Amino acid sequence: MSQTTARHRNGDRTALAFLVLAALVLISAAAFAFSITMGASNASVIDVVASMVRDGADSALSNRDRIVIFDIRLPRAILGFLIGGGLAVSGAVMQGLFRNPLADPGLIGVSAGSSLGAVAMIVLGGGVLAPVVHIFGIFSLPIAAFIGGLVTTLLLYKVATRHGQTSIATLLLAGIALGSLALAATGILIYMADDRQLRDLTFWSMGSLAGSTWSKVMGAGPIIILSLLPLPFMARGLNALTLGEAAAFHMGVAVQRLKNIAIISVAAAVGASVAVSGGIGFVGIVVPHILRMIIGPDHRFLLPASALLGGSLLIVADVVARTIVSPAELPIGILTAGVGGPFFLWMLLRQRSRLSL
């Protein structure tokens, strides 16, 4: 008992981190079950699992329930978990990279660039970009959003990198500048939009998982997963960066390579997420901060915990969004902003108190 107390006082939260990770796995499973069974359908979790095992033979589910659960709710839950996990892990990485708990993936301009691509497709899809719509059909919007985020990231890299070295400070300032330019271009396109397009733009900008399909899961899912795969292997480097870039370099960390992989991974994850769900804010800043207060700043545990908690929270938020004003549906971005905004303000005041700002 005394050894445990001493370890806790010395800041060793390894045992607590493993316990939290185990709890988050159970919470994630519960969130999935909650998402696919909550709504007009009366199907239970047991009925759904039995239907999966039997592949429809002698299923307790009606044809209507099977369509609702397997064609609507299940892809929506999977996509929500991937997006929530991707945004949360991206936030944790950005906060480690910038050594600032207030950092957010939106700082590098990917979200603004993705939004610009989506808005351009909505407004110009019937005119200049009509050939793109003809070729890609319903995938035109997510493709345009992803390309917008990718172009913004490439421009950002071009501005912030000199002689093969990327300055974090320059990256941050360039991201803010490019994000502002993207928002200005978005404003011009919105000014050109008609009433129908304005309605589409408004709903898309608030964020939603309403249009989730297996096609979107197969389109965005692999990109999000592949972009996050290298991040756990960067945990040691991100931990070393908390001491500063010079100290991390002397500890054997390839700092520039770490920056390159982190920025590209975050850009891909956030770009793919925004492409299929629109703007969903505050997940990337709130989730890592909550976990950091509980299990500490060790990225070996912070990154997987962020993925689990971010995915679970977004699934639960989506269930609330589609049931709170039933039969209508509330955009999920409104919920995340309503909860995340006050939490971010509290974080800011807390940081100001600690840093005497």
Side-chain angles (χ1 to χ4, degrees):
M1 182 68 179
S2 59
Q3 291 180 351
T4 303
T5 303
R7 291 173 61 189
H8 180 73
R9 289 177 178 174
N10 292 331
D12 187 352
R13 305 186 192 180
T14 302
L16 177 61
F18 279 116
L19 182 62
V20 170
L21 284 173
L24 286 175
V25 171
L26 297 177
I27 291 173
S28 299
F32 261 102
F34 182 59
S35 176
I36 63 177
T37 57
M38 186 67 181
S41 173
N42 294 321
S44 66
V45 177
I46 296 177
D47 292 338
V48 174
V49 173
S51 180
M52 291 180 177
V53 173
R54 298 172 185 173
D55 193 25
D58 298 326
S59 174
L61 298 178
S62 65
N63 289 334
R64 172 182 173 275
D65 287 343
R66 287 182 58 82
I67 293 174
V68 169
I69 290 173
F70 292 108
D71 294 339
I72 299 176
R73 292 185 188 170
L74 189 57
R76 184 167 179 156
I78 293 174
L79 195 61
F81 188 84
L82 290 174
I83 292 173
L87 293 176
V89 173
S90 297
V93 171
M94 292 301 295
Q95 290 166 19
L97 202 61
F98 287 110
R99 301 185 296 279
N100 188 333
L102 300 180
D104 181 79
L107 288 175
I108 62 174
V110 180
S111 297
S114 297
S115 297
L116 174 59
V119 170
M121 183 57 64
I122 292 174
V123 176
L124 304 177
V128 177
L129 298 179
V132 178
V133 177
H134 179 73
I135 295 173
F136 296 104
I138 61 173
F139 298 102
S140 301
L141 182 61
I143 288 174
F146 183 73
I147 291 176
L150 180 62
V151 170
T152 303
T153 303
L154 293 176
L155 289 174
L156 178 64
Y157 233 69
K158 183 69 175 178
V159 173
T161 303
R162 185 177 183 182
H163 303 306
Q165 298 294 314
T166 302
S167 169
I168 292 297
T170 304
L171 183 71
L172 174 61
L173 296 174
I176 294 174
L178 290 175
S180 298
L181 289 174
L183 290 175
T186 300
I188 294 175
L189 289 170
I190 291 176
Y191 184 79
M192 298 167 53
D194 57 30
D195 290 341
R196 181 188 61 80
Q197 292 169 343
L198 284 174
R199 181 177 177 84
D200 292 341
L201 288 171
T202 300
F203 189 78
W204 187 87
S205 65
M206 289 186 291
S208 176
L209 297 175
S212 300
T213 60
W214 286 114
S215 298
K216 288 188 176 182
V217 172
M218 297 304 295
I223 296 175
I224 298 175
I225 293 172
L226 289 175
S227 64
L228 297 182
L229 282 179
L231 296 181
F233 301 98
M234 300 164 52
R236 174 179 170 271
L238 290 173
N239 288 340
L241 271 181
T242 59
L243 302 175
E245 292 187 18
F249 177 78
H250 289 298
M251 292 172 64
V253 176
V255 176
Q256 186 58 36
R257 185 175 64 181
L258 177 67
K259 294 179 189 176
N260 294 343
I261 297 175
I263 293 169
I264 293 174
S265 297
V266 168
V270 175
S273 298
V274 172
V276 295
S277 67
I280 298 177
F282 293 103
V283 176
I285 189 171
V286 171
V287 171
H289 193 79
I290 292 174
L291 290 170
R292 196 176 286 107
M293 291 189 297
I294 298 173
I295 63 176
D298 191 338
H299 289 85
R300 294 177 302 167
F301 307 112
L302 183 62
L303 295 181
S306 295
L308 292 171
L309 182 58
S312 300
L313 284 181
L314 198 60
I315 288 177
V316 173
D318 179 57
V319 173
V320 174
R322 60 182 168 86
T323 57
I324 193 172
V325 291
S326 182
E329 182 170 321
L330 188 70
I332 193 172
I334 294 178
L335 283 180
T336 57
V339 175
F343 188 85
F344 180 81
L345 182 60
W346 172 78
M347 287 171 52
L348 185 62
L349 295 175
R350 185 170 178 263
Q351 287 295 115
R352 183 181 68 174
S353 174
R354 292 175 57 188
L355 301 177
S356 300
L357 296 178

